[in-house]
Amino acid sequence: MRTFSKDNGQEGFSLLEIIAVLTVVAVLGALMFQLFGDSFTKSSEPIDRLKKALLLQQTMENITEDYESSSQTSAFLDTTLRVNIGPEGTDQNNAYGQYHVINNRFIKFAGQTEANIALGDARENLKVTLRNDVGENLTTLFTVQ
């Protein structure tokens, strides 16, 4: 003769318990995403900005290396370096690197302020400002030795 126990030999969770646990996990997951969502989705932005800043720095180092290996005369600044960097307001992708030219002009210093040179002034200070595609600027002043 067979005897039946109270639990009928079944073990495990009921369907109602599984649905309740899945609902709680879904609600907690949605709350966690709201709390940490930007951290998860934008966590690579600082690394990307750092890479682009380093590329801009490397570009300026390439220009500086070209300047330092030259005769560093006014003629070199005007006819070679300034031309190789490119005109103001243009995007460049050349041997120096990839950049946008903000400033590429000769300047002079009047007192403690910067001024554009007039016709006939000495071309001794070349101001170069470059920008990368995330809006970071880097400025260097090249002078005649």
Side-chain angles (χ1 to χ4, degrees), residues 63-94:
I63 294 170
T64 303
E65 182 180 342
D66 193 19
Y67 164 75
E68 288 178 352
S69 66
S70 72
S71 59
Q72 300 177 5
T73 62
S74 179
F76 173 79
L77 289 179
D78 196 16
T79 60
T80 306
L81 191 64
R82 189 164 173 247
V83 171
N84 289 348
I85 292 170
E88 293 181 355
T90 61
D91 292 323
Q92 299 291 320
N93 189 1
N94 53 31

Side-chain angles (χ1 to χ4, degrees), residues 109-121:
F109 294 99
Q112 295 182 358
T113 61
E114 170 188 326
N116 290 327
I117 62 169
L119 190 63
D121 285 345

Side-chain angles (χ1 to χ4, degrees), residues 24-36:
V24 169
V25 168
V27 168
L28 288 176
L31 291 173
M32 294 300 284
F33 186 76
Q34 288 293 325
L35 183 62
F36 297 114

Side-chain angles (χ1 to χ4, degrees), residues 56 88-92 98-102 129-132:
L56 184 63
E88 293 181 355
T90 61
D91 292 323
Q92 299 291 320
Q98 185 174 357
Y99 54 92
H100 180 79
V101 182
I102 303 297
T129 303
L130 307 179
R131 176 180 291 155
N132 61 12

Side-chain angles (χ1 to χ4, degrees), residues 6-143:
K6 194 173 184 180
D7 64 2
N8 290 335
Q10 296 179 354
E11 296 178 6
F13 298 105
S14 69
L15 182 59
L16 185 59
E17 291 170 328
I18 292 173
I19 291 173
V21 168
L22 289 175
T23 303
V24 169
V25 168
V27 168
L28 288 176
L31 291 173
M32 294 300 284
F33 186 76
Q34 288 293 325
L35 183 62
F36 297 114
D38 284 344
S39 299
F40 294 138
T41 58
K42 296 182 180 179
S43 63
S44 65
E45 281 185 18
I47 295 170
D48 188 44
R49 288 184 71 88
L50 178 63
K51 285 180 183 177
K52 290 180 179 182
L54 290 174
L55 285 174
L56 184 63
Q57 179 67 34
Q58 182 62 46
T59 299
M60 192 60 84
E61 288 291 329
N62 291 340
I63 294 170
T64 303
E65 182 180 342
D66 193 19
Y67 164 75
E68 288 178 352
S69 66
S70 72
S71 59
Q72 300 177 5
T73 62
S74 179
F76 173 79
L77 289 179
D78 196 16
T79 60
T80 306
L81 191 64
R82 189 164 173 247
V83 171
N84 289 348
I85 292 170
E88 293 181 355
T90 61
D91 292 323
Q92 299 291 320
N93 189 1
N94 53 31
Y96 293 141
Q98 185 174 357
Y99 54 92
H100 180 79
V101 182
I102 303 297
N103 290 318
N104 186 11
R105 66 177 83 140
F106 286 98
I107 61 168
K108 65 180 178 181
F109 294 99
Q112 295 182 358
T113 61
E114 170 188 326
N116 290 327
I117 62 169
L119 190 63
D121 285 345
R123 295 175 170 250
E124 295 179 347
N125 302 311
L126 179 65
K127 178 182 178 182
V128 176
T129 303
L130 307 179
R131 176 180 291 155
N132 61 12
D133 59 351
V134 292
E136 296 170 329
N137 292 346
L138 190 58
T139 302
T140 301
L141 186 65
F142 298 100
T143 60

